[in-house]
Amino acid sequence: MNKKKAMALPITLFTLAMLMVVAFSISRVTVLQEERLTALENGITPFGSSDSNNLFTDSDGVQLLSDLENPLELPEFQESQDNASFEKDKVLDLTSYSEYAINTLEFDKDSTLKLGAGEYWIKELSVKKNFNINVVVEEEGTAKLFVEKLTMAKDSRLNYPDNASELDAGKLIIIVYGDVSFDSAKICGGIYSKGDLTLEDSTVYGAVVAKTFSQGVDYVRQQVIYDEDVLQTLLDLDY
């Protein structure tokens, strides 16, 4: 093989590799655009600015606690004084309480959770596999759940309706005292975690703030549909 032919092979392989990278990038952009159009057709407008052309995650939608100028100083967790525990029910109405302490709140069927604007202290909140919990906040404002342990089982949903036009992340904020891990789960609202956040093939419609992200910030950003109003609510949290 002469010198020209010897050099031709690596050059050809390099060119082929570059073409594959370009083709993949174009394909990915096309997919994102199709997803954006589909979402818009379903009525999703997750950004504060209605003229935004970017439906997908902005870097600001995922924040590390260490990057915040004034991170929330979480108060001591308020446990129930009477060891209250709620059995699962089709509809659980807590609207008569502005502040409520619950030891265990577990859902193992499709249910509706009615809340008022205010604070709720839940030692352990869990949604079992394949179930959807519809959250209704009857007053104008935001329901804040202070939770020691949050468990979302595989394919579970919290405040994530079937009809995309009904998504409302601004009505629910969850402040978690420990680590958070979702596996193929969906949640609509803001999540503020004092610990580590893990999202495995999950979707958060709103914004997230955490001490660390197990798979890295960029990985988490791919699974968060950013709502700037929700992020601002998380940044403005005070106690």
Side-chain angles (χ1 to χ4, degrees), residues 42-61:
N42 288 333
I44 297 179
T45 53
F47 290 84
S49 174
S50 60
D51 60 359
S52 173
N53 291 320
N54 181 13
L55 178 66
F56 300 95
T57 302
D58 185 286
S59 60
D60 289 337

Side-chain angles (χ1 to χ4, degrees), residues 78-140:
Q78 299 183 23
E79 297 190 27
S80 172
Q81 298 301 311
D82 57 359
N83 200 33
S85 178
F86 282 87
E87 299 295 332
K88 50 270 183 186
D89 200 350
K90 195 67 177 177
V91 177
L92 178 59
D93 189 345
L94 301 180
T95 55
S96 60
Y97 301 92
S98 60
E99 293 189 13
Y100 204 83
I102 303 169
N103 273 354
T104 303
L105 186 54
E106 177 183 284
F107 294 95
D108 63 358
K109 63 178 70 173
D110 290 341
S111 306
T112 295
L113 175 62
K114 292 185 177 181
L115 302 170
E119 298 173 359
Y120 297 83
W121 299 79
I122 305 172
K123 189 174 181 65
E124 183 172 353
L125 172 63
S126 65
V127 182
K128 298 298 184 180
K129 183 177 180 180
N130 296 325
F131 295 113
N132 176 35
I133 307 307
N134 176 42
V135 177
V136 177
V137 180
E138 294 196 339
E139 305 157 15
E140 290 188 9

Side-chain angles (χ1 to χ4, degrees), residues 160 182 187-189 191 199 202-208 223-226:
Y160 210 102
F182 295 160
I187 186 168
C188 179
I191 301 175
L199 298 179
S202 299
T203 301
V204 175
Y205 182 99
V208 296
Q223 300 178 84
V224 178
I225 301 177
Y226 168 46

Side-chain angles (χ1 to χ4, degrees), residues 184-229:
S184 303
K186 293 184 177 181
I187 186 168
C188 179
I191 301 175
Y192 194 108
S193 173
K194 189 177 179 181
D196 183 56
L197 177 67
T198 302
L199 298 179
E200 289 288 353
D201 299 320
S202 299
T203 301
V204 175
Y205 182 99
V208 296
V209 174
K211 182 178 180 180
T212 56
F213 302 113
S214 289
Q215 311 93 326
V217 174
D218 290 335
Y219 184 92
V220 173
R221 285 173 181 163
Q222 297 171 22
Q223 300 178 84
V224 178
I225 301 177
Y226 168 46
D227 185 312
E228 63 183 1
D229 291 335

